């Protein structure tokens, strides 16, 4: 059996809201697969279906070759699930939390210590501290240890890094990479675009639908228009001028630069530079860039929705 | 630029033996977009609570919007706006009712409330949905409304506490467009965020590590100082140096 | 089994680490009992009495003296007109006024009867009723002594069986037991389950190898034990501090209490299956369980004096049945033979609720 997770045309509706629609994905063994999307994109619904906590309205979902509707009991024993918002008991100590989650899965910390040692050893100096008093990054490590403690065959991590600072996020992803190297299959969701490049493959999610599915580099080839990074000291002025241009496909701030894509396939940096200088931006610089994941996501979003709102 | 809207001198807050904010000295001038960054637990929230008059400092001096933080906390509250992590609006009220309510608590007269509501609905292009409950509106609209409501009483400064967490990349940028626009009109913005690319949109940045100011500069100057390409790297270097201490 | 033990252990950690929770669980029964025992009493002492004597003869004076010496009344003032009575009531200086008609003694001798009007402050009907009762018995007493020779009549000598001193604490203790058990069992379990739903830990528990029954039982057992400790505490306190008797079998009382605890626990679980927020669970428990337990069970207001619709509703309230049982055992010394029907009702309620909640307790979200 190669496919760890297969989703075929999965849909889920809550009253009037179509939370998921036509999601088709298959994730192979040992893959680190990311679902990228904002709140309300349907990521949590999808993870709950995979964790057998919700029934899909349409389509089929299989985990480890088992149907999520019929064989939920068998699936539950073999997966590790970390819901959004850290699911720990704040009034229990670090060690008590870990022991508890080991015991409810019918195992002990000692039996599987090898697997979590890498992560849990960082927490051991604080093992008597109440989980509620841990920092965001430490809570996240503990939650991951708890999800791993029964040696699951696949991990479902729903927004594990939301609300966590950049340093802890980076460390967390390093841990995920190491787990993957040990052969663990991991499905993870995140609203942060910069985390997407760390996955083997990603799916863009927006309003319950999949916008795209590919490797991080593959997905950027969906961005077809010429893209420029433009910098000037008056960023706001520059933004207004570029937005007003009839040739502009999109103009968005990316860090200290503006990413400008042009409707004309033949658009050139030197021409843009000259035009902007003529507009009075004396310190402007223009360079052609390769689209990143966030550029692609935005482009796909706009394509799907026409010109978003307004 | 105009005179400082926020000025603090060795502002400190202790909780028992724990120093949450240690001698914070800042000067923020009118119309500035000031980014306030730090890891979880670095003291950001405590600092914001002090500056908004919600928490009394242990020591140090501070004036916000021209009022002393110790003696004029009422004046401080009248002259600041605040928008938290997600929005502080009521989902079960309509757009118009939300505006009315918040205008009411800021002490606007009935006449002024009517006038403001009309203006706001117009400028946000929300006239068509004025009587729709907030719950059924798209995220981006709600966010715009939340921001507009936070500055309804024309404060001198607005505090935005992670206003864009979990928001899609387009909506996030539209929100920043609003911030830019407001700052051009002279409003001072004090904003916290976990998105490092957003840090680059700020005029100046303050990075807190363990309650202390670890760096305070313009984003480009900060990157130069640390010799790196992005704010993310600056942030990680600062947090690392703390760990190896 | 290993999983289940771990689960139980965790539940006890929750209870003992949350100081407020522990305080409620152990402090509340104590405080409530003392409150009900000392502060809330139905016995009346020192009723402020005003007399409007329009006759001023030997008989009215004798009756007045009788009131004064009875120990229940304090003669506060002599009243001189109807208007004065009203004023005194309004002012609150008297709780009762007695009016003798003009020519009281003459009429009594000539016609063999005369009229006394008894006025009480109806704004508190309960007290008013009790005062009227006392007054009537004083008057009765006078008539009996004064006219013993003259008349032969039927005399009613009341004796309050099982509670001869009319001690209200005897009445409150069973109600209090019902209240405390309901609170500990239903409120606490529903909150502790919904808390896990809110924090997302329930999602992990469901995905774990614990079966729903194990989760339910694991949630129930700690509160079952705690509630039982509470029953023992209340009964012991009531007996040692207030001298409330337990005339029947203590074992039977405990067994019946355990049955009621199970019913209340099933209610708590049932509540948590229909809501997923702590707040809603608390509201349902307080408004839907505690208020009826206080108001409709017969704890404070007798069920017999309720209008028919309320009487019918009261049948659905477990506390009503438990109250009948406890009052029977503690105050009357009733044996199981007389309360098996009530026991059966409780057992039925528990079974239905438990079955419904196990069925409703979903293996999914």
């Amino acid at each position: 059996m190669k496919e760890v997770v297969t989703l075929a045309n999965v849909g889920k509706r809550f009253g009037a809201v179509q939370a998921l629609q036509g999601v088709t994905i298959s994730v192979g063994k040992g893959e680190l697969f990311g679902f990228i999307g904002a709140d309300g994109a349907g990521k949590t619904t999808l993870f709950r279906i995979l964790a057998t906590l919700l029934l899909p309205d349409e389509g089929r979902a299989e985990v480890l070759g088992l149907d999520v509707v019929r064989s939920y009991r068998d699936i539950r024993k073999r997966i590790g699930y970390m819901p959004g918002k850290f699911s720990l008991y704040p009034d229990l100590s670090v060690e008590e939390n870990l022991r508890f989650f080991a015991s409810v899965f019918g195992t002990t910390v000692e039996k599987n210590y090898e697997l979590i040692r890498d992560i849990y050893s960082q927490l051991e100096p604080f093992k008597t501290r109440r989980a509620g008093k841990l920092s965001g990054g430490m809570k996240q490590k503990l939650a991951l240890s708890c999800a791993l403690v029964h040696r699951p065959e696949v991990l479902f991590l729903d927004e594990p890094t939301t609300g966590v600072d950049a340093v802890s996020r980076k460390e967390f992803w390093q841990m995920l990479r190491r787990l993957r190297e040990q052969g663990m299959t991991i499905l993870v969701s995140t609203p942060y675009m910069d985390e997407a490049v760390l996955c083997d493959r990603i799916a863009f999610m927006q309003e319950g639908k999949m916008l795209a599915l590919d490797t991080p580099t593959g997905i950027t080839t969906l961005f077809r228009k010429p893209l420029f990074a433009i910098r000037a000291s008056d960023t706001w002025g520059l933004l207004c001028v570029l937005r007003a241009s009839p040739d502009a496909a999109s103009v968005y701030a990316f860090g200290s630069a503006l990413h400008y894509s042009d409707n004309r396939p033949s658009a050139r940096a030197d021409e843009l530079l000259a035009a902007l200088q003529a507009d009075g931006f004396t310190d402007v610089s223009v360079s052609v860039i390769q689209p990143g994941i966030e550029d692609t996501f935005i482009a796909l979003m706009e394509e799907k929705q026409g010109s978003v709102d307004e | 630029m105009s005179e400082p809207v926020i000025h603090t001198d060795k502002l400190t807050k202790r909780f028992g033996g724990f120093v949450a904010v240690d001698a914070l000295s800042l000067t923020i001038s009118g119309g500035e977009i000031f980014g306030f960054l730090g890891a979880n637990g670095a003291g950001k929230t405590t600092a914001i609570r002090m500056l908004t008059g919600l928490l009394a400092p242990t020591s140090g001096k501070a004036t916000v919007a021209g009022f002393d933080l110790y003696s004029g906390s009422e004046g401080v509250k009248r002259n600041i706006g605040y928008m938290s992590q997600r929005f502080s609006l009521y989902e079960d009220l309509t757009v118009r009712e939300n505006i009315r309510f918040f205008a009411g608590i800021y002490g606007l007269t009935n006449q002024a409330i009517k006038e403001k509501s009309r203006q706001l609905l117009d400028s946000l292009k929300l006239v068509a949905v004025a009587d729709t409950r907030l719950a059924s509106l798209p995220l981006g609209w709600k966010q715009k409304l939340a921001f507009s409501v936070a500055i309804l009483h024309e404060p001198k400064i607005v505090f935005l506490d992670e206003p864009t967490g979990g928001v899609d990349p387009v909506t996030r940028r539209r929100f920043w467009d609003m911030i830019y626009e407001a700052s051009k009109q002279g409003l001072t913005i004090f904003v916290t965020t976990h998105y490092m690319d957003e840090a680059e949109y700020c005029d100046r940045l303050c990075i807190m590590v363990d309650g202390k100011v670890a760096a305070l500069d313009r984003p480009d100057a900060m990157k130069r100082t640390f010799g790196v390409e992005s704010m993310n790297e600056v942030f990680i270097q600062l947090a690392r140096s703390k760990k190896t201490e | 089994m290993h999983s289940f033990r771990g689960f139980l252990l965790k539940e006890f950690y929750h209870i003992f680490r949350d100081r407020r929770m522990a305080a409620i669980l152990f402090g509340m029964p104590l405080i409530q009992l003392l409150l009900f025992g000392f502060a809330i009493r139905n016995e009346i002492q020192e009723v402020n009495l005003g007399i409007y004597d329009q006759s001023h003869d030997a008989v009215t004076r004798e009756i007045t003296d009788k009131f004064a010496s009875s120990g229940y009344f304090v003669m506060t003032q002599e009243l001189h007109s109807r208007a004065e009575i009203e004023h005194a009531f309004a002012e609150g200086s008297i709780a009762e006024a007695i009016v003798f008609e003009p020519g009281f003694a003459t009429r009594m001798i000539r016609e063999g009867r005369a009229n006394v009007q008894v006025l009480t402050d109806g704004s508190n009907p309960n007290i008013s009723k009790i005062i009227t009762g006392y007054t009537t018995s004083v008057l009765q007493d006078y008539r009996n002594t004064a006219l013993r020779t003259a008349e032969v009549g039927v005399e009613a000598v009341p004796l309050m069986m099982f509670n001869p001193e009319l001690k209200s604490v005897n009445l409150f203790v069973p109600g209090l037991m019902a209240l405390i058990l309901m609170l500990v069992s239903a409120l606490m379990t529903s909150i502790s389950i919904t808390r896990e739903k809110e924090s997302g830990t329930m999602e992990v528990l469901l995905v774990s190898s614990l079966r729903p029954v194990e989760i339910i039982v694991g949630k129930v057992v700690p509160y079952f034990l705690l509630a039982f400790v509470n029953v023992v505490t209340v009964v012991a306190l009531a007996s040692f501090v207030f001298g409330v008797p337990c005339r029947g079998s203590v074992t039977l009382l405990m067994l019946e209490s355990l049955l009621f605890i199970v019913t209340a626990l099933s209610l708590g679980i049932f509540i948590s299956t229909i809501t997923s927020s702590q707040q809603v669970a608390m509201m349902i428990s307080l408004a839907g369980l505690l208020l009826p337990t206080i108001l409709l069970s017969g704890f404070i207001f007798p069920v017999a004096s309720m209008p028919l619709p309320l009487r019918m509703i009261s049948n659905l309230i477990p506390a009503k049945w438990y109250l009948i049982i406890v009052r029977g055992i503690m105050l009357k010394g009733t044996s199981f033979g007389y309360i098996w029907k009530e026991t059966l009702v409780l057992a039925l309620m528990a079974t239905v609720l438990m079955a419904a909640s196990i069925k409703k307790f979903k293996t999914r979200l």
Side-chain angles (χ1 to χ4, degrees):
Chain A
M1 182 205 63
K2 270 196 162 158
E3 303 305 326
V4 174
V5 171
T6 44
L7 293 163
N9 207 25
V10 168
K12 177 79 189 174
R13 170 180 283 280
F14 297 107
V17 181
Q18 185 78 42
L20 274 184
Q21 198 177 354
V23 176
T24 302
I25 292 169
S26 71
V27 179
K29 187 161 170 39
E31 209 177 341
L32 175 51
F33 191 95
F35 292 89
I36 319 292
D39 291 2
K43 301 184 305 276
T44 297
T45 306
L46 188 66
F47 273 73
R48 285 183 171 164
I49 288 175
L50 290 173
T52 74
L53 288 168
L54 280 178
L55 296 175
D57 294 336
E58 329 157 347
R60 264 177 69 82
E62 282 181 8
V63 175
L64 300 161
L66 301 164
D67 184 79
V68 292
V69 181
R70 274 178 291 119
S71 314
Y72 70 95
R73 249 177 218 300
D74 297 321
I75 294 177
R76 288 178 181 187
K77 284 186 200 125
R78 295 165 61 187
I79 61 166
Y81 171 50
M82 187 169 144
K85 293 185 284 170
F86 304 109
S87 296
L88 297 166
Y89 295 102
D91 53 343
L92 263 55
S93 73
V94 169
E95 196 180 14
E96 284 161 354
N97 263 294
L98 189 64
R99 289 203 181 284
F100 171 70
F101 284 106
S103 79
V104 296
F105 281 98
T107 180
T108 59
V109 177
E110 288 71 22
K111 254 187 230 163
N112 297 310
Y113 189 74
E114 208 42 42
L115 186 66
I116 57 166
R117 188 178 56 191
D118 199 23
I119 303 159
Y120 186 65
S121 60
Q122 303 172 41
L123 290 168
E124 255 168 345
F126 314 100
K127 67 181 179 189
T128 54
R129 194 181 288 186
R130 300 265 163 100
K133 294 225 176 346
L134 293 177
S135 71
M138 296 229 275
K139 266 189 205 163
Q140 191 193 33
K141 282 176 197 157
L142 178 55
L144 184 61
S145 305
C146 292
L148 275 172
V149 73
H150 61 290
R151 216 171 254 287
E153 292 164 59
V154 53
L155 265 184
F156 298 116
L157 311 174
D158 189 13
E159 295 210 11
T161 54
T162 296
V164 177
D165 64 70
V167 179
S168 304
R169 274 168 50 196
K170 198 177 166 132
E171 283 179 3
F172 190 78
W173 276 91
Q174 283 165 352
M175 291 188 286
L176 292 189
R177 297 296 297 185
R178 274 201 294 276
L179 282 171
R180 178 195 164 275
E181 278 155 25
Q182 294 164 27
M184 179 70 75
T185 309
I186 304 169
L187 280 78
V188 60
S189 72
T190 178
Y192 298 103
M193 300 287 155
D194 57 341
E195 293 179 348
V197 288
L198 303 166
C199 300
D200 296 325
R201 280 196 304 152
I202 50 175
F204 280 167
M205 303 285 296
Q206 176 73 11
E207 289 175 351
K209 295 190 198 95
M210 239 170 42
L211 292 179
L213 167 69
D214 208 332
T215 61
T217 38
I219 221 158
T220 55
T221 59
L222 296 170
F223 195 103
R224 294 206 176 84
K225 289 174 180 144
L227 186 69
F228 304 91
I230 306 182
R231 283 187 174 80
S233 53
D234 178 14
T235 312
W236 175 245
L238 188 63
L239 189 75
C240 295
V241 168
L242 288 171
R243 284 229 171 112
S245 152
D247 297 319
S250 68
V251 189
Y252 287 108
F254 274 79
S256 56
L258 294 178
H259 284 193
Y260 167 86
S261 74
D262 203 294
N263 280 323
R264 302 162 299 177
S266 61
R268 278 170 35 197
D270 51 349
E271 284 171 8
L272 283 170
L273 184 67
L276 286 167
Q277 276 167 342
D279 273 327
F281 294 96
T282 47
D283 60 347
V284 71
S285 72
V286 180
S287 54
V288 179
I289 51 164
Q290 288 304 309
I293 289 189
E294 194 156 3
D295 295 301
T296 315
F297 191 97
I298 291 176
L300 291 171
M301 250 181 94
E302 297 199 317
E303 207 172 282
K304 203 95 182 172
Q305 299 176 7
S307 187
V308 198
D309 50 47
E310 281 171 304
Chain B
M1 285 224 175
S2 54
E3 65 181 62
V5 175
I6 294 182
H7 180 80
T8 70
D9 186 18
K10 298 199 175 71
L11 196 65
T12 300
K13 180 73 194 179
R14 279 172 211 280
F15 296 105
F18 173 66
V19 186
V21 174
D22 193 0
L24 177 69
S25 298
L26 296 174
T27 305
I28 302 173
S29 41
E32 196 172 353
I33 302 178
F34 189 83
F36 200 57
L37 311 180
N40 307 93
K44 280 181 299 174
T45 310
T46 310
I48 290 183
R49 289 206 177 134
M50 284 196 284
L51 293 176
T52 50
L54 294 176
L55 196 66
T58 313
S59 63
K61 277 187 274 187
T63 54
V64 174
F67 293 90
D68 184 77
L69 213 52
Y70 293 90
S71 58
S73 75
E74 280 314 304
V76 170
K77 283 181 191 165
R78 261 200 316 280
N79 284 286
I80 59 168
Y82 179 77
M83 179 180 159
S84 71
Q85 203 127 12
R86 301 308 296 272
F87 343 95
S88 34
L89 299 178
Y90 294 99
E91 293 271 307
D92 53 347
L93 296 187
T94 67
V95 173
R96 199 192 300 278
E97 285 161 352
N98 264 298
I99 299 175
R100 245 201 106 74
F101 172 76
F102 283 100
I105 60 170
Y106 289 134
L108 267 59
T109 62
N110 270 336
Q111 192 54 41
I113 292 175
K114 257 189 207 139
E115 183 59 25
K116 272 276 174 198
S117 304
R118 209 181 43 76
Q119 266 177 23
L120 209 61
L121 290 172
D122 261 353
S123 66
L124 295 176
K125 303 194 184 79
L126 291 175
V127 180
V129 293
D131 297 308
T132 310
R133 289 205 191 160
L134 220 61
S136 56
L137 291 185
L139 189 76
W141 297 13
K142 284 193 257 190
Q143 212 169 29
K144 272 192 211 168
L145 183 63
F147 182 70
S148 308
V149 163
I151 58 171
L152 197 69
H153 56 304
E154 293 167 7
K156 292 205 175 75
I157 175 163
V158 63
F159 291 87
L160 307 173
D161 194 1
E162 286 178 39
T164 54
V167 174
D168 71 67
V170 175
T171 310
R172 219 146 58 75
R173 288 181 172 77
R174 302 222 160 156
F175 188 73
W176 272 91
D177 290 351
M178 281 189 86
I179 294 180
Y180 269 124
E181 215 173 316
S183 100
K184 289 290 162 227
Q185 288 162 20
L187 183 67
T188 307
I189 318 272
F190 189 103
V191 59
T192 73
T193 179
H194 277 314
Y195 293 96
M196 285 304 137
D197 60 326
E198 290 188 347
E200 312 239 13
Y201 307 159
C202 300
D203 294 325
R204 269 197 314 150
L205 286 174
C206 170
I207 301 184
M208 300 277 289
V209 175
D210 283 343
K212 294 194 188 72
V213 175
L216 174 64
D217 211 334
R218 298 181 54 83
D220 48 353
M222 215 181 260
K223 281 186 283 184
R224 259 199 311 278
T225 315
F226 285 83
V228 291
E229 288 295 308
S230 72
M231 275 319 298
N232 201 29
E233 291 167 74
V234 173
F235 191 80
I236 286 169
Q237 272 199 19
L238 278 172
R240 281 273 158 74
S241 65
K242 156 203 152 189
K243 277 208 171 149
T244 49
E245 257 168 32
Chain C
M1 209 48 224
H2 168 70
S3 310
F4 183 68
R5 254 212 329 271
F7 192 87
L8 263 187
L9 187 67
K10 180 207 71 139
E11 287 306 312
F12 278 108
Y13 282 149
H14 286 324
I15 293 168
F16 290 103
R17 290 205 177 151
D18 186 345
R19 278 201 210 118
R20 276 172 305 175
M21 186 104 138
I24 290 177
L25 285 174
F26 298 105
M28 190 191 57
L30 234 115
I31 291 169
Q32 291 216 352
L33 187 69
L34 295 178
L35 211 76
F36 276 98
F38 285 119
I40 305 169
R41 287 169 172 236
N42 267 342
E43 304 98 284
I44 309 287
Q45 286 158 335
E46 307 193 337
V47 176
N48 289 330
L49 179 65
I51 304 268
Y52 177 24
D53 191 346
Q54 301 177 58
S55 177
H56 281 290
D57 53 45
V59 179
T60 60
R61 230 165 290 139
E62 202 179 330
I63 295 176
T64 308
D65 286 346
K66 217 160 168 71
F67 273 108
S69 61
S70 72
Y72 295 120
F73 299 93
V74 180
M75 313 300 287
T76 46
Q77 49 190 312
E78 178 98 359
L79 301 160
H80 301 100
S81 70
R82 291 265 160 195
E84 228 175 285
I85 296 177
E86 231 168 90
H87 182 74
F89 269 120
E91 211 176 53
S93 60
I94 57 169
E96 183 184 28
I98 290 176
V99 182
F100 294 104
E101 64 176 334
F104 190 87
T106 341
R107 200 157 162 211
M108 179 99 125
I109 291 157
R110 203 184 312 133
E111 296 174 27
R113 50 172 300 159
N115 291 324
V116 185
Q117 188 182 25
V118 178
L119 295 139
T120 53
D121 182 353
S123 60
N124 189 336
N126 274 339
I127 294 178
S128 183
K129 220 177 281 170
I130 297 164
I131 295 176
T132 318
Y134 284 4
T135 312
T136 324
S137 71
V138 172
L139 287 171
Q140 202 99 15
D141 203 32
Y142 169 77
R143 202 183 65 170
N144 290 343
T145 43
L147 305 179
R148 194 182 312 140
T149 45
E151 295 226 1
V152 182
V154 181
E155 187 194 348
V157 183
L159 165 65
M160 296 288 189
M161 291 260 290
F162 312 123
N163 188 6
E165 308 107 291
L166 285 175
K167 269 172 37 179
S168 51
V169 70
N170 287 9
L171 190 71
F172 282 131
V173 163
L176 208 57
M177 285 165 68
L179 191 67
I180 290 167
L181 294 184
M182 202 40 114
L183 205 69
V184 170
S185 314
L187 182 66
M188 296 291 170
T189 28
S190 64
I191 287 180
S192 101
I193 296 179
T194 44
R195 184 197 289 146
E196 300 226 23
K197 285 193 186 178
E198 272 182 6
S199 68
T201 41
M202 191 54 91
E203 283 181 53
V204 182
L205 293 184
L206 286 175
V207 173
S208 79
S209 36
L210 282 172
R211 280 173 301 144
V213 182
E214 287 180 295
I215 297 178
I216 289 182
V217 175
K219 282 284 172 192
V220 160
V221 169
Y223 293 100
F224 182 78
L225 294 175
L226 283 174
F228 187 68
V229 170
N230 276 328
V231 178
V232 175
T233 320
V234 171
V235 171
L237 266 180
S239 150
F240 294 128
V241 181
F242 298 105
V244 177
C246 183
R247 298 199 172 89
S249 150
V250 177
T251 319
L252 181 61
L253 180 67
M254 291 303 147
L255 287 175
E256 295 281 359
S257 297
L258 289 180
L259 176 62
F260 181 67
I261 294 171
V262 172
T263 318
L265 287 170
S266 333
L267 257 172
I269 297 165
F270 186 73
I271 290 171
S272 64
T273 59
I274 54 177
T275 167
S276 48
S277 97
Q278 280 190 69
Q279 231 182 353
V280 177
M282 182 126 71
M283 298 255 281
I284 296 179
S285 302
L286 288 176
L289 295 181
L290 286 184
L291 281 182
T293 298
I294 296 172
L295 299 176
L296 295 178
S297 66
F299 175 14
I300 292 178
F301 308 111
V303 175
S305 57
M306 288 174 196
L308 186 66
L310 285 186
R311 276 209 307 267
M312 282 159 65
I313 294 173
S314 78
N315 285 335
L316 297 174
I317 295 166
K320 175 198 160 160
W321 306 101
Y322 180 62
L323 261 178
I324 297 175
I325 294 171
V326 175
R327 281 184 181 153
I329 298 174
M330 286 183 78
L331 305 179
K332 299 192 216 167
T334 311
S335 65
F336 185 69
Y338 293 97
I339 48 172
W340 66 270
K341 266 187 267 173
E342 286 80 7
T343 309
L344 193 67
V345 173
L346 276 185
L348 232 114
M349 283 179 169
T351 318
V352 170
L353 282 168
M354 199 51 111
S357 22
I358 290 181
K359 191 156 183 283
K360 264 199 86 97
F361 191 91
K362 283 170 275 178
T363 50
R364 299 176 197 278
L365 285 178

